Amino acid sequence: KDKKKSETYSIKLIAASVDGQWGATVDSNERIVLYNLDTLQIHRELPILNSPVSTINFNSNGQFLAIGCVSCHILLYDTDLNILKELENFKFYGYNQKEWKCVDTFKGCSFNSSGDLLLFHTQQKIYVFELAVLKAIIRKDRSVTAKSIDESSVFEPITESVKVKCTIIPKYSPMLFASFLNDSLVVVERPWLQVMENLPKPLYRKRYAAPA
């Protein structure tokens, strides 16, 4: 009998909910696995996305897992309802931009204390999403999707685009870190002098006199 080769991978991202109930990991094969930390068992394994995952985080009560991809796609997974939703068709506020164009990679994400705001940041910009519309849709879907969270059923996430409001803050750059601390915004910028120190040294070329 042919034995299947054991698959090796490494964990590149890890997150845990504040209440200590949920944990999530992303490995080098881009698999997103959710764990129930109360039972120390795997809760769900989400489908592999079309783009590598660059950041994950839970909200304060552990209901939502935010997922940010290298391609700037944003998804939310509801641990209660077993629903995976992609945020698209953003309505922008506070910045002169007519369509969603993110050319940088998401470096981190966080929720505020109430879970109504979701923050993603790159090195150049901060994106703050208002999730009131999403919560209303999830409450509406609760009765429809109740059967999908049965443990005996096959996991088939419901993917649906949701329109949300987004405020773009281009004030801080370059950023090392940005996150909510309760309802305050904490930003750590990288000093430009430190950036310049990492630039390559000037190239000097010797000049020779023309032959006589």
Side-chain angles (χ1 to χ4, degrees), residues 71-141:
S71 62
C72 288
H73 283 82
I74 298 173
L75 299 97
L76 281 182
Y77 174 73
D78 189 321
T79 57
D80 293 340
L81 300 181
N82 191 29
I83 295 177
L84 184 65
K85 289 185 179 292
E86 181 176 3
L87 305 186
E88 289 185 349
N89 304 322
F90 304 130
K91 294 180 180 179
F92 289 98
Y93 291 82
Y95 189 68
N96 186 18
Q97 187 167 343
K98 296 182 179 180
E99 57 183 332
W100 171 244
K101 289 182 180 179
C102 179
V103 295
D104 201 357
T105 301
F106 288 130
K107 302 298 183 182
C109 63
S110 67
F111 292 84
N112 67 338
S113 58
S114 63
D116 293 329
L117 299 177
L118 170 59
L119 176 151
F120 278 85
H121 80 90
T122 65
Q123 287 186 340
Q124 284 79 28
K125 298 175 184 176
I126 297 175
Y127 303 84
V128 181
F129 300 90
E130 299 180 21
L131 301 182
V133 175
L134 176 63
K135 289 185 176 181
I137 292 177
I138 290 179
R139 284 195 295 267
K140 182 179 179 182
D141 291 347

Side-chain angles (χ1 to χ4, degrees), residues 16 18 26 53 92 179 185 191 198:
V18 177
V26 181
V53 179
F92 289 98
S179 178
L185 179 61
N198 294 328

Side-chain angles (χ1 to χ4, degrees), residues 190-202:
R190 186 177 185 182
W192 278 107
L193 290 178
Q194 185 178 357
V195 175
M196 295 175 65
E197 289 176 356
N198 294 328
L199 295 177
K201 296 181 180 180

